[in-house]
Amino acid sequence: MAKAKTKAKAKAKAKPKSSARTDSRSRPSKRRSPPAAKAKAKPRPRQRFVASHLSPPAAKAKAKPRPRQRFVASHLREEDFQVGLRSYAAYRDLGISVASGGMVQAHVIRFVPPCRPQDVSKLHYHDVDFQMVYVLKGWIKTEFDGQGAIVMRTGSAWIQPPRIEHKVLDYSDDCEVLEIVLPAEFKTVELE
């Protein structure tokens, strides 16, 4: 009798069996297509249920037309290094700004030796969408907000998020970096 009660309780606790499917997958069709048609048919992508009444459909943002770009080549010439944004650095414009219609700026920065911290170590940020730096020669020590001081050597690269506060602390006498910035024209804000 105890066995009968245990079986009865187990049946009561068991989930009722149903022939209805409860998952969101679609059922395979019961109709069979002829073998020739089946070979030509392409598999259809699975469709997912979207509750459109819960959220309005997202409007597709129109892609902003990119400026027309043209081919440009830049070859190393010492006379192309010019004093620019900073007195302790000479910049070699690679012609990317003009070729990209102002979309991108790319230049090689050659730091002027010796490093003078009183001139170099000024906290600032750049109002940019993207900034990437690659060390071509030597090394550079820079302090970034939230990251601390980091020494980057030949072959090192980093991305500076937009408006990150930073300052150059030191650099080797032969330091050169490649810098790529979007957009080509941007503002540098000095904080010291």
Side-chain angles (χ1 to χ4, degrees), residues 15-184:
K15 293 182 183 177
K17 292 183 179 177
S18 171
S19 62
R21 290 178 77 130
T22 57
D23 64 4
S24 61
R25 290 179 281 168
S26 61
R27 287 188 194 179
S29 173
K30 290 183 180 180
R31 287 189 318 184
R32 297 202 179 240
S33 55
K38 193 173 190 177
K40 292 181 186 176
K42 291 183 181 177
R44 291 185 358 193
R46 248 177 124 175
Q47 296 180 348
R48 295 180 184 258
F49 173 74
V50 178
S52 61
H53 66 283
L54 297 177
S55 59
K60 288 188 178 180
K62 287 188 177 181
K64 187 177 175 182
R66 291 184 179 165
R68 185 169 170 86
Q69 298 175 36
R70 63 180 179 81
F71 176 80
V72 66
S74 177
H75 301 282
L76 177 61
R77 296 179 334 158
E78 288 301 316
E79 59 269 20
D80 289 342
F81 282 92
Q82 305 292 320
V83 174
L85 177 65
R86 310 230 180 281
S87 61
Y88 57 83
Y91 295 77
R92 177 179 154 227
D93 184 0
L94 300 178
I96 308 299
S97 178
V98 172
S100 68
M103 184 171 63
V104 181
Q105 170 67 263
H107 47 246
V108 174
I109 304 171
R110 180 181 286 168
F111 291 89
V112 177
C115 177
R116 293 185 179 88
Q118 67 274 16
D119 297 332
V120 173
S121 298
K122 306 239 188 271
L123 190 64
H124 65 283
Y125 68 84
H126 307 289
D127 193 9
V128 299
D129 294 330
F130 174 85
Q131 183 175 13
M132 178 256 176
V133 183
Y134 180 85
V135 182
L136 298 166
K137 287 172 53 177
W139 57 268
I140 184 168
K141 183 177 183 181
T142 307
E143 184 175 22
F144 299 95
D145 183 39
Q147 303 301 315
I150 301 173
V151 176
M152 300 291 189
R153 301 181 189 287
T154 302
S156 298
W158 70 94
I159 289 180
Q160 290 181 201
R163 300 174 62 101
I164 189 171
E165 295 178 7
H166 62 284
K167 61 181 166 183
V168 174
L169 300 175
D170 199 5
Y171 55 81
S172 64
D173 287 351
D174 62 342
C175 185
E176 286 188 18
V177 300
L178 168 67
E179 184 178 59
I180 300 171
V181 184
L182 281 79

